[in-house]
Amino acid sequence: NAGVIQTPRHKVTGKGQEATLWCEPISGHSAVFWYRQTIVQGLEFLTYFRNQAPIDDSGMPKERFSAQMPNQSHSTLKIQSTQPQDSAVYLCASRGDNQDTQYFGPGTRLLVL
Amino acid sequence: AQKVTQTQTSISVMEKTTVTMDCVYETQDSSYFLFWYKQTASGEIVFLIRQDSYKKENATVGHYSLNFQKPKSSIGLIITATQIEDSAVYFCAMREAGTQVVGQLTFGRGTRLQVYA
């Protein structure tokens, strides 16, 4: 049983470029979460989908960041006009319906030069 | 607002010994879930064990167990018979159960465990 899949594992972009990160949740899981991990801030919540609907994006920076879940098998996190401070590991997690434990993907390490 | 605090930045122990990692939390909710995850050197975050706030019995999974002290808002992780491969960063996390809308986990800053031979 495959776990959460994230692609790419590593991404290097130049300042001002766009970055799109992909997440494939565990099959059958209805909830998808995005988190960001940095040395300074630790693990921070970004946004959450349930049954493909956006539920809570309270952790998303108001500008340049957006997330979508067009179908139950994948979600994307898009960062427009990337800045060096966006450099972080972006983690996706999924959770089954009526379950409480989230399972994490391997993360995408984004480096903005 | 919920908050999770891990005061131990790093711990070093000899293999085959028992180690306890501390975690305290703050929440206004009467019902919540507490989790421990570990992050390996490769960056992978692995779920270890969980405690539901309404359960009085401490959770145990393999050589991981919890010391849940609800009046103190404390959830310690105990690893018995530690192994070299237990070396990792351990995160405590919480999710309030009030509503499914509140889905996200709030994490502590982590405790780095080094197990040596």
Side-chain angles (χ1 to χ4, degrees), chain A residues 33 35 37 39-43 45 48 55-56 91 95 100-102 104, chain B residues 33 35 37 39 42-43 45 47 50 91 95 100-101 103-105 107 109:
Chain A
F33 301 82
Y35 295 86
Q37 185 176 29
I39 299 294
V40 174
Q41 298 293 337
L43 275 156
F45 166 74
Y48 158 38
I55 302 298
D56 181 0
L91 293 148
R95 186 188 75 200
D100 299 296
T101 300
Q102 295 179 25
F104 284 79
Chain B
F33 304 98
F35 304 85
Y37 288 84
Q39 187 168 35
S42 67
I45 296 179
F47 165 70
R50 142 186 164 199
F91 290 97
R95 176 174 92 79
Q100 281 289 331
V101 174
Q104 74 269 26
L105 295 171
F107 286 88
R109 296 307 302 266

Side-chain angles (χ1 to χ4, degrees), chain A residues 33-39 41-47 59-61 64-65 77 79 83 85-92 104 108 110, chain B residues 107:
Chain A
F33 301 82
W34 285 95
Y35 295 86
R36 175 169 66 179
Q37 185 176 29
T38 62
I39 299 294
Q41 298 293 337
L43 275 156
E44 307 174 275
F45 166 74
L46 294 176
T47 189
M60 289 278 271
R64 303 185 295 105
F65 283 66
L77 179 68
I79 309 172
Q83 303 297 310
Q85 61 265 30
D86 299 331
S87 297
V89 176
Y90 290 84
L91 293 148
C92 177
F104 284 79
T108 294
L110 176 67
Chain B
F107 286 88

